[in-house]
Amino acid sequence: MTDASCCPGIDHLVVLAADLREGADWCRRTLGVDPAKGGEHPLMGTHNRLLNLSSPAHPRSYLEIIAIKPGASSARLMGARRWFDMDDPALHAQVARSGPQLIHWVACVPDIAACHAVLAARGVERGEVITASRPTSLGLLEWRITVREDGQRLMDGCLPTLIEWDDRHPCHGLPDSGVQLQSLRLQHPQAAALADACASAGLRHVPVDWAGAPRLAATLHTPLGPVCIASHPTECHP
């Protein structure tokens, strides 16, 4: 792949782990494969491991296993928090209790400034558009991403963070993993508002259903067969 442009769609799924070794063990146990090496995010004091999930339905998508880097501090301004609610004590407790789990998703958009403005006009404050980067063996990865100062994901992780990549995408350097993303389903008590926000950003193909509690669930084709990963793992069924 050489074209870094994208139509609005699922860019990557975010799995939070207490540490990367635990995240890699979870990936091996749950999906039957080892995640590839990722890198560090000095801006946030985090690091990751990655797994290519590209499929005919989602041709440029991946799984990010992310954790706070031991001994690292966020390089952001005083008072700001890490992305994806990673500084939230309740989320830390949830991961400590249930292990690594799907907590969020990130949507690729071709014009992040335009999508950001559309959401803001609907009263959805997705946060500042910041520029981030990390070095890789193939060169520098650079992207623009929406991050709130308080680090909140919004709608319990069901409303995506927006991202726009520069010339290179992580999937360009990721080997075929044997795991493919089949679908992502969102459930939320405010399903109508969530669906409207997604549609306004051009994300009309991700199913949104009403439920009494928020939940993300992704179905994957893996070497172990169909696997479902979810924000509440014990409630997931392929």
Side-chain angles (χ1 to χ4, degrees), residues 19-45:
D19 60 67
L20 285 190
R21 186 166 73 171
E22 183 177 332
D25 289 344
W26 168 88
C27 187
R28 195 176 304 112
R29 183 175 65 252
T30 305
L31 305 180
V33 295
D34 284 306
K37 291 182 179 179
E40 300 180 12
H41 312 113
L43 187 67
M44 295 288 170

Side-chain angles (χ1 to χ4, degrees), residues 12-206:
H12 66 276
L13 307 178
V14 181
V15 168
L16 179 61
D19 60 67
L20 285 190
R21 186 166 73 171
E22 183 177 332
D25 289 344
W26 168 88
C27 187
R28 195 176 304 112
R29 183 175 65 252
T30 305
L31 305 180
V33 295
D34 284 306
K37 291 182 179 179
E40 300 180 12
H41 312 113
L43 187 67
M44 295 288 170
T46 59
H47 57 171
N48 63 16
R49 295 190 68 169
L50 307 177
L51 191 71
N52 196 336
L53 300 182
S54 300
S55 67
H58 305 283
R60 199 180 69 171
S61 60
Y62 66 98
L63 177 75
E64 176 182 36
I65 301 169
I66 193 166
I68 294 175
K69 189 175 187 297
S73 59
S74 172
R76 300 183 74 202
L77 296 175
M78 185 83 64
R81 294 192 171 195
R82 292 178 176 89
W83 45 25
F84 310 148
D85 274 321
M86 290 181 68
D87 292 317
D88 178 29
L91 188 57
H92 278 278
Q94 182 177 312
V95 171
R97 182 171 60 251
S98 302
Q101 59 198 259
L102 179 65
I103 62 160
H104 194 36
W105 65 294
V106 178
C108 182
V109 294
D111 187 339
I112 196 169
C115 285
H116 183 274
V118 168
L119 287 175
R122 284 166 167 74
V124 179
E125 184 44 64
R126 186 51 281 180
E128 180 187 0
V129 177
I130 66 171
T131 298
S133 65
R134 67 174 178 84
T136 76
S137 59
L138 298 178
L140 191 67
L141 267 179
E142 296 179 283
W143 63 96
R144 300 175 73 206
I145 188 169
T146 55
V147 182
R148 290 170 57 100
E149 187 172 295
D150 59 13
Q152 286 187 15
R153 295 164 291 162
L154 296 186
M155 288 194 170
D156 305 278
C158 291
L159 183 68
T161 288
L162 304 179
I163 196 167
E164 180 185 352
W165 292 95
D166 200 358
D167 295 332
R168 187 177 288 109
H169 186 272
C171 284
H172 295 159
L174 288 176
D176 185 345
S177 68
V179 179
Q180 294 187 337
L181 175 62
Q182 304 299 301
S183 65
L184 174 67
R185 182 171 294 275
L186 312 174
Q187 295 178 316
H188 202 275
Q190 297 175 288
L194 175 59
D196 178 70
C198 288
S200 69
L203 306 165
R204 298 179 177 85
H205 305 300
V206 178

